[in-house]
Amino acid sequence: MHISEGVLSGPVLATGAAVALAGTAAGLKKLELDRVAQTGMLAAAFFVASLIHVPIGPSSVHLILNGIVGLLLGWAAFPAILTALLLQAMLFQFGGLTVLGVNTVVMAGPALICYYVCGPFVLKSPPVAFTAAFVAGAGSVFLAGILVGVSLVFTGENFLEVAGLVVAAHLPIMVIEGIVTVFCVAFLKKVKPEMLPGYSAGNMV
Amino acid sequence: MKKFLNVFGLICALIFMGHGMAQAHKVTIFAWVDGDRVFTESKFSGGKKVKGGTVTVLDSAGNQLLEGKTDDNGEFSFKTPDADGLTIILTAGMGHRNQWTLSAAELGTAGGDSTAPPVAAAAAEEQPEPVSPTVAIGLSAAEVEAIVARQLEEKLRPLTHMVAESREKGPSVADIFSGIGYILGLVGLGAYVRYRRENRSS
């Protein structure tokens, strides 16, 4: 899901950087003291997840985990993912420094959408919550694929073709991440429900 | 604390699952000169070959010389063009791209171009006679040079491949832990900044 250096044109890179910066600023602003550690933990999980490679499908794909990061962090997903991507670019040479903004938006944008779309349902009864968690895990990868397609449109590649390829390559990842997210949500509901979005004492079902 | 340990355990588990596979979302291209052709080999790191990736060859001034597609083994070769250095760019679709540069010296020595000869020719003039009179008789400096170049290429081929392989090392455990270390450091920094601000405002 990391777009390499030198593929995108200047305006796309600049737009990506600007959006990523705005998102990160908003995320840092909303980040409360007692959530800092959690944000770091999820950034670390995201950072490491890209090393777990799934050898299924036509291309080389790895776990992304942006669904669970978004679900648990909301706006703080932006700084978390930006940090993790920066370290991946420097240490693993995934992506690169100039495409950092675009890659951040590609992965953190869907994370945020999942937070708003699926977040309200994770504290509901188990069937609803688990469906929402699966949709968050799989949907965030799906949306990230769409965003890769959008970013590459301006380099002359066909949108439907690229987005289709990326999504097809990530189908196994979508299923795996959906399941991982369901397990995480199920575990947190039992052990630490206050980590889930929208928690306040007494609204558990 | 229990949560912390759980998360930490999960991270450790992730690391050790990742270690050993060490595969990445990255694509590499490696090119070498053999005889009068340039060979290229393209892989996703993790060893998966790039099938049908576009290889674009530019000269040192950035002009496009030729373009081609990698075959099922991720390989693509072309006749060495007359240029003083090549930049070979691989575009593997979905935003994957990497490049490899061949310098004039690499192109020149193997291709028998005019860049290397001064030294080689001088050496060749001195050597033929004492080394092996039976072979050397009737051989011009250029011919000896060509033979030596061919032999060297053959001997160096395994080495060239070794270099190519070693370039594709995935992230090491040190990289992974230093990344996590950075994140923990940033968490500390973030907590400190937040703590100061909240203390001041209250």
Side-chain angles (χ1 to χ4, degrees):
Chain A
M1 208 59 97
H2 300 71
I3 298 174
S4 307
E5 201 122 30
V7 175
L8 299 173
S9 58
V12 180
L13 293 175
T15 312
V19 175
L21 204 67
T24 307
L28 286 176
K29 207 158 183 234
K30 283 171 194 272
L31 187 61
E32 295 139 26
L33 179 59
D34 51 353
R35 306 268 287 181
V36 171
Q38 188 194 346
T39 307
M41 285 298 162
L42 283 160
F46 180 92
F47 169 74
V48 178
S50 67
L51 295 173
I52 299 173
H53 195 263
V54 178
I56 316 172
S59 174
S60 105
V61 288
H62 56 73
L63 289 188
I64 301 170
L65 294 189
N66 56 345
I68 188 74
V69 169
L71 208 51
L72 296 184
L73 292 182
W75 278 95
F78 262 96
I81 289 178
L82 177 77
T83 311
L85 282 175
L86 173 68
L87 289 166
Q88 285 176 352
M90 292 192 312
L91 296 168
F92 304 161
Q93 286 84 47
F94 292 4
L97 290 181
T98 58
V99 277
L100 189 60
V102 175
N103 280 334
T104 304
V105 175
V106 161
M107 289 182 245
L112 193 60
I113 292 171
C114 286
Y115 171 75
Y116 280 114
V117 173
C118 304
F121 299 104
V122 291
L123 286 170
K124 299 259 190 300
S125 63
V128 179
F130 295 160
T131 312
F134 187 86
V135 170
S140 57
V141 176
F142 175 79
L143 289 173
I146 302 290
L147 283 179
V148 169
V150 171
S151 327
L152 289 172
V153 164
F154 300 100
T155 59
E157 294 208 42
N158 182 306
F159 166 69
L160 280 178
E161 203 177 295
V162 175
L165 265 176
V166 176
V167 170
H170 285 81
L171 275 177
I173 296 288
M174 284 164 63
V175 175
I176 293 169
E177 297 218 354
I179 295 168
V180 167
T181 312
V182 169
F183 274 110
C184 285
V185 167
F187 177 75
L188 289 173
K189 263 170 92 91
K190 229 181 277 164
V191 179
K192 195 90 177 159
E194 58 269 32
M195 268 181 84
L196 294 170
Y199 177 86
S200 62
N203 68 351
M204 280 286 288
V205 178
Chain B
M1 198 57 209
K2 200 177 165 201
K3 178 201 82 185
F4 180 86
L5 284 177
N6 277 326
V7 178
F8 188 73
L10 177 72
I11 291 169
C12 288
L14 289 176
I15 292 167
F16 292 112
M17 279 169 74
H19 177 56
M21 289 188 257
Q23 284 155 335
H25 208 63
K26 199 170 88 174
V27 68
T28 52
I29 181 165
F30 173 66
W32 70 97
V33 181
D34 195 347
D36 63 344
R37 294 184 76 79
V38 176
F39 290 83
T40 70
E41 212 173 71
S42 307
K43 282 179 188 172
F44 289 106
S45 32
K48 200 155 184 164
K49 311 275 193 253
V50 179
K51 295 174 188 168
T54 308
V55 177
T56 315
V57 181
L58 308 178
D59 66 12
S60 51
N63 304 313
Q64 183 174 334
L65 298 174
L66 58 106
E67 197 180 80
K69 296 254 178 216
T70 56
D71 63 13
D72 282 355
N73 290 322
E75 289 166 7
F76 170 68
S77 73
F78 53 91
K79 199 173 178 325
T80 309
D82 190 20
D84 59 344
L86 295 176
T87 304
I88 300 165
I89 298 171
L90 169 72
T91 318
M94 296 195 277
H96 290 121
R97 178 188 182 279
N98 212 331
Q99 63 181 51
W100 181 269
T101 315
L102 282 177
S103 65
E106 282 172 277
L107 288 174
T109 40
D113 217 56
S114 57
T115 33
V119 185
E125 273 166 29
E126 287 166 24
Q127 278 185 1
E129 303 223 8
V131 171
S132 159
T134 47
V135 180
I137 290 166
L139 278 181
S140 70
E143 279 169 317
V144 173
E145 197 183 302
I147 293 168
V148 171
R150 206 168 56 231
Q151 290 295 326
L152 264 179
E153 255 165 43
E154 246 163 60
K155 294 270 187 282
L156 285 177
R157 198 168 299 138
L159 265 179
T160 329
H161 271 97
M162 240 166 75
V163 172
E165 294 296 318
S166 69
R167 272 177 52 88
E168 280 161 34
K169 284 268 153 59
S172 68
V173 177
D175 287 336
I176 297 164
F177 276 101
S178 64
I180 293 170
Y182 272 111
I183 291 171
L184 293 183
L186 285 171
V187 166
L189 190 68
Y192 174 70
V193 171
R194 280 289 128 137
Y195 179 75
R196 275 182 56 128
R197 193 182 306 168
E198 274 174 35
N199 258 12
R200 208 180 300 144
S201 61
S202 62

